[in-house]
Structure formats: structure tokens, C-alpha cells
Amino acid sequence: ASVSAAGVVTALAPGTATITATASASGSGLAATTIQRTSTITVTGGGACAPIVVTLPVNRNGTVSGTSCLITATGQQRGDVLRVNLAQQTALELRVTPTGFAPYLSALNTTVDEFIFFTGQASTEVRRTWLMPPVVTEMRVGAAGGGQTGGYTFSATAVNQSVENCSNVIIGGTLQTNQALTATDCNLSGFFTDQFLVYSPRPCVVTMARVTSGGGMVDPFLEAFDGTTRVAFDDDGAGGVNSRISLSSCRSGNDGLLVFQASSFDAGDTGTYIISFQFGSPAVADAARDIAAMNPAKGMRASSGVAGASGTWLDQIGVSTRGIVPQH
């Protein structure tokens, strides 16, 4: 159990704990007085739970109650933890539809501690795609707020790894993936665009390489956004056929996510490309000093921005990224 500064006791895991409270007082003409009392509490369950091992595809009904597993180390969100061993790079489409509460949904590469989780409106489906390397992956589904309860349906399936129809794909670790710009992708004033969401305190190198065989796009253009503010971009920065962004930490200045946009310097350009995400050792510098704008090879493109962005970006897509330590 833990005790907050306000004296609130919170159960953390099954077992017993002794809570000690001490009060001291003194006044003019009075002897100093100390009163101390102890209390032993027993936690019978409902703390961190062993993950449920599953295989793809996953389709299940669940219930969130006051004794369900804690799915975060803080915030008291409760639900279920599922674990799947991915033998190969996989695009995981996760869906959760809650009844009576706001949903919480995440997928976690168990080899690292940073991850992106999403929340939604009460009784509304949340659907997201995580692109994961071949690792053991934890999927957490439950209530977005402490004390919320109800039932839900959940599914996890492997889907096509291509970014399609303006979807935001979440990058869950070091990987490389084949993609293509098409006329059905997000259209920013004539520039077709794919989007990838990333959060990591580690350094990262993101490369967008043109496929040189038939069907490859002409002029790769890569950008990184902190909310709606572009913080880094590159056009043909690696030998005239690739774009590359290198950051000393792959997160925003306020410890939030980055969105990488892969597009072309030429309006209307379509075709195949390869995008890769490489992460290094954890960064120790302040993230606010880490992101520096890069000089483009050809200057500012005619039109650039985050697809569909209006107001606060994090509010718009319903994402939170706050260093929650996984409970393995």
C-alpha cells in the first residue's frame, strides 16, 4: 500500500501493510506531546495482475470492476492485461467498445518503458493501429478513470501494415516498413501524406527512402510535428533519394508525442517508399532542449501541416503520453 501526502491510503498489491501516523504538538507553557498510532491493513486482490497470454486474433468480452487489475502504476485505471508474442513485425489493430465508462487502450513493447495510450468518450469505440517489432507485446484495456466500471468488447487482429485512409499508425519500437503514397491518403493542399505517431525519450533516426525500382515515388519529404508545430524536416538529405531526421529524443518538448509525416516535395507525387525508425540508448537531456529544426535541402515546401489539425492536437486525437511505468 501507499500513503499520499494528504493521508490517502491506496492498495497496490495483495498482502499486508502497517500504516503509522504520528502527530506532534507543543505550545507555550505546555510539554511537547507526541501521539503515534498504527493500523494494519490487508489487501486481498485487485492490484497488479499477471498478464493473460493470448494468440492472435483476439476477441473477448470483459468486465471492469473495483477489483480488476491495475493497468497503470498511477491513476488507478483498472481493466485487463493481455500478452501476445509477436514472431514477426506486425501491425496490430486494437478495438475496444465499452459500456458505461470511457475506454483506455494501449499496446506496450515490453522491452522498453515508453508507450502511447489512448482514451475516448464514454461508451464509444476506440480503434487504433500499433506497428510493433517482433517482441512480446502487452495490450491493456479498461477504464480511463479510477472508479469507473462496466463491460466491454475487445479485439486484436493483424492487419495490412500500409498506412491507408488518413489513419495514424503508432510506432512501437525499432522497425522498417514498406509504404506507399496514394490518392486515397491524406491530402494536404495536393500533397499526399502518411502519418506515424512516436513517443520515446531515446534518440531516434527516422529515414524515408525512395524505392528505386518501378513504382517508387519521386521526391521523399519527411517532417516531425510537436502538436501542430513543425520542429524538424528534411528533403533529400541523404544522397538525393532519401529524407532523414535525427533527434536526441523522439518526443515533444513537453514530454508528449511526435507525429512524423511522410510525403513528397512534389504535389501529386505517388508511389512506394521505405520508412525506418531506429532508437538508441535512453537520452538524459531535458526534452525541451532536444528538438532542433533542421535545414531543408530545398527550403520550405509550398504547403505543409498536420492533416486535419485544429485546436489542440492531443485533444483532437485523444492521446496521452505520460511516462507510465509498466507493471510486469
Side-chain angles (χ1 to χ4, degrees):
S2 65
V3 183
S4 72
V8 177
V9 179
T10 301
L12 298 179
T16 60
T18 299
I19 308 297
T20 301
T22 301
S24 299
S26 62
S28 177
L30 300 176
T33 301
T34 298
I35 301 174
Q36 187 175 83
R37 296 290 186 270
T38 62
S39 178
T40 300
I41 67 168
T42 300
V43 179
T44 58
C49 301
I52 302 170
V53 178
V54 297
T55 57
L56 297 178
V58 178
N59 290 281
R60 71 192 308 269
N61 297 319
T63 301
V64 178
S65 69
T67 59
S68 295
C69 300
L70 284 172
I71 55 177
T72 66
T74 60
Q76 298 301 300
Q77 288 94 345
R78 293 186 179 272
D80 292 322
V81 180
L82 311 176
R83 180 170 288 186
V84 60
N85 187 8
L86 301 178
Q88 59 189 10
Q89 179 178 302
T90 303
L92 281 176
E93 182 187 78
L94 307 185
R95 295 190 185 192
V96 57
T97 303
T99 301
F101 61 88
Y104 173 106
L105 183 65
S106 74
L108 169 67
N109 175 348
T110 60
T111 63
V112 296
D113 283 349
E114 66 265 18
F115 69 108
I116 300 172
F117 66 89
F118 287 85
T119 59
Q121 301 299 315
S123 301
T124 302
E125 180 190 69
V126 172
R127 174 183 176 185
R128 293 290 185 267
T129 300
W130 269 263
L131 192 51
M132 304 295 292
V135 294
V136 175
T137 298
E138 280 189 3
M139 301 169 290
R140 303 181 185 183
V141 54
Q148 296 181 351
T149 60
Y152 68 86
T153 61
F154 171 75
S155 68
T157 57
V159 297
N160 192 316
Q161 295 188 16
S162 296
V163 181
E164 298 174 345
N165 300 320
C166 293
S167 62
N168 295 301
V169 174
I170 304 155
I171 301 302
T174 296
L175 53 79
Q176 177 176 295
T177 177
N178 297 320
Q179 299 289 338
L181 293 180
T182 70
T184 61
D185 287 320
C186 288
N187 190 328
L188 301 180
S189 302
F191 297 90
F192 302 118
T193 304
D194 291 336
Q195 298 184 355
F196 304 87
L197 306 183
V198 179
Y199 171 80
S200 176
R202 297 178 293 160
C204 67
V205 178
V206 182
T207 303
M208 182 184 181
R210 176 171 63 88
V211 176
T212 55
S213 57
M217 60 179 299
V218 175
D219 196 350
F221 187 69
L222 188 62
E223 304 166 277
F225 284 86
D226 176 354
T228 57
T229 301
R230 186 168 70 171
V231 296
F233 62 105
D234 188 40
D235 170 57
D236 290 354
V241 295
N242 300 336
S243 294
R244 180 172 295 142
I245 291 175
S246 179
L247 300 173
S248 56
S249 74
C250 218
R251 59 183 174 180
S252 72
N254 65 347
D255 194 32
L257 65 82
L258 292 180
V259 57
F260 284 87
Q261 289 193 167
S263 60
S264 174
F265 199 84
D266 301 327
D269 186 13
T270 59
T272 54
Y273 66 93
I274 300 172
I275 191 165
S276 63
F277 295 81
Q278 299 288 329
F279 295 89
S281 300
V284 295
D286 182 357
R289 301 194 303 267
D290 285 339
I291 298 177
M294 300 177 66
N295 294 322
K298 298 181 181 179
M300 186 72 74
R301 197 178 63 184
S303 177
S304 184
V306 177
S310 62
T312 302
W313 170 255
L314 297 184
D315 291 340
Q316 180 187 353
I317 62 174
V319 65
S320 298
T321 56
R322 290 289 178 259
I324 294 177
V325 179
Q327 299 187 41
H328 296 316

